[in-house]
Structures are given as C-alpha cells and as structure tokens.
Amino acid sequence: MAQLWKGRFKKELAKETNDFNSSISFDSRMFEEDIKGSIAHAAMLGAAGIIDKSESEKIVDELEKILNEIKSGTLQIDMQAEDIHTFIEGELTARLGQTGKRLHTARSRNDQVALDIRLTLRKEITETEKKIKELICVICDKAEENKKTIMPGYTHLQRAQPITFAHHIMAYAAMLCRDLSRLEDTKKRMNICPLGSGALAGTTYPLNREMVAELLDFDGITLNSLDGVSDRDFCIELASTLSLIMVHLSRFSEEIIMWCSWEFKFVELDDAFSTGSSIMPQKKNPDIAELVRGKSGRVFGDLTTLLTAMKGIALAYNKDMQEDKEAIFDAVDTVKMCLTAFTPMIETMTVLKENMRNAAAKGFINATDCADYLVGKGMPFRDAYKATGELVALCIEKNLTLETLPLDEYKNICDLFDEDIYIAINLEKCVADRLVIGGPSEQSVDIQINAARNAVSVN
Ligand code: ARG
C-alpha cells in the first residue's frame, strides 16, 4: 500500500526504510479506535461545513462498513501498509475515490495517533479494572472463610505476632484498591481529546473540537496543540500504575511460593493451577506465581522504555514516540495476562488452617501479649518487655513454650503473674483482642472487607 506522503519524493522507499519505519505490526490493534476517531472527525467536518454533508455521510457509512468487515474477518489488514492510519485511509479512498481523500482535511497523523492511543488505553484501563475487581472479590471471599484462621504474622520473615489468614490477605486487597483508584485517576487525565491539534500548530479550519470530543466520550479537549500531539504522560502514568500492580502481584506471588513449600505448607494450590517436574515425580510447582513474579520485570522495563523515549525529545512530534505503543501495550497485556491466571489460582487454593495454627504455636508470637499482661497489672512496658524476654530465654533453655511453662517459673521472674496469664497468651484471644481499626480481630477484618467490597462497587 502506498504511503500517504508520496508527493515530494522522487524515489521509491528502500525496503529497509519501510521495514524499519513501519508500525502496522503493533498499531493494527487500534483499528477500531482509528476508525471511530475518523468517523467522529468526518461527522464534524460535515456538520461544520468544512466538507459537503453528503460526502461526510458517505465517509461515515463506508468507515462503518470497513470496521464491520475487519471485525468479521472479511477484510484483512494489509501488513505492508506503513501504519493503521495509512491502511484505513487507503482502504476508504480505494472505495470512495475523491470523497475518501477528503477525510484527512484538518487532521494530521500526529493528532490522529495521539487520539487513537488515548481511546485504546481508556478501553484497556476498563478491562484491567474489571480483572482487578475480580481479584479483590476473590480475596474478600477467601478472607470471609478465614476470619478465625490463626497464623503467625512475620517481620524479617521471623514469626512475630499472631494474626489471621484473612487479615494477611486483606493487605493485598488494600493494595489492589489503591491500584483501582490510581487507574481511575490515570483515566481522568487520559480522557481529554487531542484531535484538532493538527501536526503541531492546530488548523485554520473552523473545527468543532467539542463535538468530536463529545462523540467519542471524552471529558474535554486539549488546550495547547504542541502538547496535544507530543504528550505521552498518560502512557507513562499508566505504565507506572501497572508497574505498581505488578509489584503487588509479585509480592503476593512470593508469599504463595513460600506457603506452598514443605517448609511452610500453609496452602495447597489446585492441581489445575500448578505444574509438575519432568524428572522429579513428587514435585508440584507454583509456576503461575513464579511467572507473575518474573513478568513484573517486563512491565518495569516498559515504564523505563517510555520514560527514556520521552525524556530528551524537543517539541512537538518526533518519531521516537512511535516506540510508545509496543511498550505500553506490552505492559497492559502482561498485567491482564497475569491477573487472568492469578485470580483463579487464588480462588481454588486450599488453605491449610491446621498447619498455620501449628506454626503460630511456635516462635513465641504471643510474647508481646505476655508483656502487655504485666502492663495490665501496672508494670511499665519497658520492664514488662524485659521480664518477658527472660521468660522466652527460659522457655528456649527448657524447650518449652509460654503456654507450657509452669506458673511457678513465671512467678520466679515476676510475682505479678497469676493463673490468668494462660488466658492472656491464648492465641485466639490475642487476635480477638486486637480490636483496633486495622487490626486482625474479626470485627476489624469485617471493616476491611466492607471497604474493599465498597471500592469495587464504586470505582
Ligand atoms: N505510526 C506513527 C506513530 O505511531 C504515526 C504518526 C506518524 N507521524 C509522523 N509525523 N510520521 O507515531
């Protein structure tokens, strides 16, 4: 297919130039957005009297046909075309002749591509949000089932204090809720229409830019034509938001991988969501979680690609900016692919409650509660901390736990201890008493679940 810009050139394009310059292999996925943008533009040109109303109608009708034909597979996109814009305009002109040639009046591929990416990414954000919401709901359901499932909470990967499995996984729901709101926020700045910016300097035609924006469901129009064509902040913002999503999924994955090990055995993944080894018959590997953790690097790389592509280019459009699409599409596709596999893996995994409870019984995770018991009897916290430290040392020496240490040993270290210490250090009670908002008690976890479910229904 011929280039759109042939007039000034005497020679044919070198194959090497064509291959290197072409973007159709990765921008053809924007065919629907490109056509819808052109339909809005053509309708506006007609309404504003810039082209003949009847010609505008013909263009709109033919573009609709082209869209349906591509969708149904009866029209193949020509992969020899320079880009999707060239292909669609070329196809239109092949069908309508002179009339087709009027479509590009008062438009440049620079504002056209800026429009197409915004439309494409707007749709991708909505799809990503849907998948994040599904994961949040699955986490909330799992949390509901595990509000009483005691497990050790960790710092430094050392058992620290008692929590529940519900509380632990609701931390991920909190992260994902922030991701949802970041996506919404990114969409706000993305949803501004650049069409009318022209190549860089706007146009002399009396465009109705608001009409185009309205037809395409934008919230407004850009106010500086140079910025309109050369702004890719919205790609960078989205890549950054997607990178954070991958950070969250990757941390969650790391925990799943640990919990699946024989060392932890806190969860068992469903057979349908794990893989085996070609040599070790006993193996059941958490490959999905490992791949999600591994793929996070691609998305961070995409963010770096975008930042680097944009950081040194003078206003306005430069061809460097064509690099935006592969990077941001890869980031979006990777995140969606990860969520598609990750969510059912979480949904179907079995929580091994007993193993969690047994792990919680070791590691003196109720030591803080023991110190708090002494505080309750009037001792300053720092002294209570020291006395409890001595108790823990004694337990380690005698191979006992705080639960099995006899009362007289307690009393030897501090005479404030009484029979009720055994109630105070009971793990179920330790968790139930953490009623503070944000804590692991059932009531506090209910607040978290309600907030997450609310974020899913509002956003
Ligand atoms: N394929 C180009 C891109 O993705 C379209 C814009 C071309 N503009 C130009 N001045 N060459 O950026």
Side-chain angles (χ1 to χ4, degrees):
M1 179 169 280
Q3 290 84 33
L4 295 168
W5 37 265
K6 286 239 78 158
R8 135 197 243 295
F9 292 81
K10 298 203 174 72
K11 278 191 180 174
E12 279 304 310
L13 198 60
K15 182 178 181 308
E16 291 84 349
T17 311
N18 188 53
D19 292 350
F20 188 58
N21 193 46
S22 163
S23 56
I24 189 112
S25 63
F26 48 86
D27 66 19
S28 60
R29 74 188 259 170
M30 305 195 299
F31 72 88
E32 182 161 4
E33 289 72 24
D34 192 74
I35 294 175
K36 287 191 169 154
S38 289
I39 288 175
H41 181 64
M44 181 277 291
L45 290 178
I50 298 168
I51 66 173
D52 224 61
K53 195 112 206 176
S54 68
E55 287 198 293
S56 146
E57 277 161 15
K58 269 194 204 144
I59 293 175
V60 168
D61 284 352
E62 204 56 45
L63 284 170
E64 263 156 14
K65 273 188 211 145
I66 292 175
L67 177 58
N68 289 333
E69 286 172 34
I70 297 178
K71 276 188 169 172
S72 68
T74 48
L75 175 64
Q76 296 289 320
I77 295 174
D78 176 5
M79 286 298 159
Q80 298 312 310
E82 182 179 328
D83 52 29
I84 189 63
H85 327 295
T86 305
F87 172 72
I88 302 293
E89 194 184 322
E91 183 64 28
L92 184 76
T93 305
R95 295 178 183 206
L96 295 184
Q98 294 300 105
T99 300
K101 291 185 194 165
R102 296 196 193 280
L103 169 64
H104 210 53
T105 314
R107 190 176 69 166
S108 157
R109 273 186 302 166
N110 295 353
D111 56 353
Q112 189 178 355
V113 73
L115 172 80
D116 291 5
I117 313 170
R118 285 171 189 259
L119 288 173
T120 306
L121 295 181
R122 189 174 78 178
K123 181 185 72 186
E124 295 292 359
I125 288 181
T126 305
E127 281 177 26
T128 309
E129 285 178 341
K130 200 170 149 261
K131 286 181 183 291
I132 290 186
K133 287 177 186 178
E134 281 164 13
L135 177 54
I136 293 174
C137 289
V138 162
I139 294 174
C140 286
D141 292 346
K142 271 265 170 306
E144 301 272 14
E145 295 160 21
N146 286 286
K147 287 195 278 189
K148 291 185 196 301
T149 307
I150 305 280
M151 73 178 274
Y154 294 80
T155 63
H156 312 269
L157 210 48
Q158 304 282 322
R159 289 173 204 171
Q161 289 183 335
I163 56 169
T164 63
F165 187 62
H167 189 55
H168 192 111
I169 59 174
M170 283 310 293
Y172 288 105
M175 297 175 220
L176 292 163
C177 286
R178 288 196 296 278
D179 291 330
L180 265 189
S181 91
R182 265 187 288 268
L183 283 169
E184 273 301 295
D185 196 46
T186 306
K187 191 151 62 176
K188 264 184 225 148
R189 278 177 296 278
M190 183 181 292
N191 205 27
I192 306 292
C193 185
L195 212 65
S197 302
L200 76 157
T203 176
T204 55
Y205 294 96
L207 300 186
N208 185 348
R209 294 191 58 198
E210 285 83 3
M211 176 184 166
V212 176
E214 220 166 279
L215 286 174
L216 294 170
D217 267 333
F218 278 106
D219 297 325
I221 57 174
T222 55
L223 293 182
N224 180 293
S225 60
L226 294 165
D227 185 48
V229 290
S230 69
D231 168 30
R232 293 293 183 273
D233 288 3
F234 56 94
C235 295
I236 295 173
E237 280 189 53
L238 179 57
S240 147
T241 300
L242 295 171
S243 293
L244 259 179
I245 293 173
M246 288 309 291
V247 168
H248 300 149
L249 293 183
S250 185
R251 292 182 75 177
F252 203 168
S253 293
E254 168 64 13
E255 300 213 280
I256 298 288
I257 294 160
M258 284 191 322
W259 293 339
C260 283
S261 70
W262 283 104
E263 283 69 18
F264 277 84
K265 267 285 163 252
F266 283 2
V267 300
E268 166 115 29
L269 295 183
D270 192 89
D271 277 3
F273 293 94
S274 6
T275 50
S277 154
S278 64
I279 176 170
M280 298 169 281
Q282 84 284 10
K283 289 296 288 293
K284 183 169 172 186
N285 295 329
D287 280 23
I288 291 181
E290 290 173 22
L291 264 177
V292 168
R293 192 178 56 181
K295 280 181 190 293
S296 58
R298 297 174 70 114
V299 181
F300 309 159
D302 293 328
L303 172 60
T304 307
T305 299
L306 288 162
L307 288 167
T308 314
M310 296 306 295
K311 82 174 179 61
I313 52 179
L315 295 180
Y317 178 84
N318 295 261
K319 193 73 173 200
D320 315 40
M321 291 163 67
Q322 182 166 283
E323 289 290 305
D324 61 355
K325 282 172 281 302
E326 279 170 293
I328 194 62
F329 292 162
D330 179 70
V332 166
D333 292 345
T334 303
V335 168
K336 285 199 301 183
M337 196 199 295
C338 287
L339 286 163
T340 302
F342 192 85
T343 301
M345 177 191 75
I346 298 292
E347 190 174 18
T348 54
M349 77 185 181
T350 308
V351 179
L352 302 174
K353 302 184 184 187
E354 239 188 85
N355 293 352
M356 289 186 185
R357 183 64 179 79
N358 290 341
K362 293 177 219 135
F364 306 101
I365 65 176
N366 45 8
T368 314
D369 301 88
C370 179
D372 287 343
Y373 167 91
L374 292 177
V375 171
K377 303 257 164 166
M379 188 182 261
F381 178 76
R382 199 40 73 208
D383 294 337
Y385 172 97
K386 186 165 172 286
T388 307
E390 286 167 27
L391 280 169
V392 169
L394 186 67
C395 286
I396 292 170
E397 197 184 297
K398 293 182 174 289
N399 201 18
L400 292 170
T401 63
L402 287 172
E403 286 88 337
T404 53
L405 187 74
L407 187 59
D408 49 333
E409 299 277 12
Y410 273 99
K411 283 187 180 289
N412 281 345
I413 286 181
C414 175
D415 57 10
L416 289 174
F417 280 115
D418 230 318
E419 203 51 62
D420 55 352
I421 178 60
Y422 297 107
I423 299 167
I425 58 167
N426 170 274
L427 292 182
E428 279 70 18
K429 182 172 163 31
C430 295
V431 166
D433 283 355
R434 285 178 155 73
L435 282 161
V436 65
I437 292 180
S441 69
E442 268 187 70
Q443 291 90 325
S444 311
V445 168
D446 278 336
I447 292 173
Q448 301 177 46
I449 295 174
N450 285 339
R453 292 207 194 277
N454 216 21
V456 164
S457 62
V458 168
N459 270 310

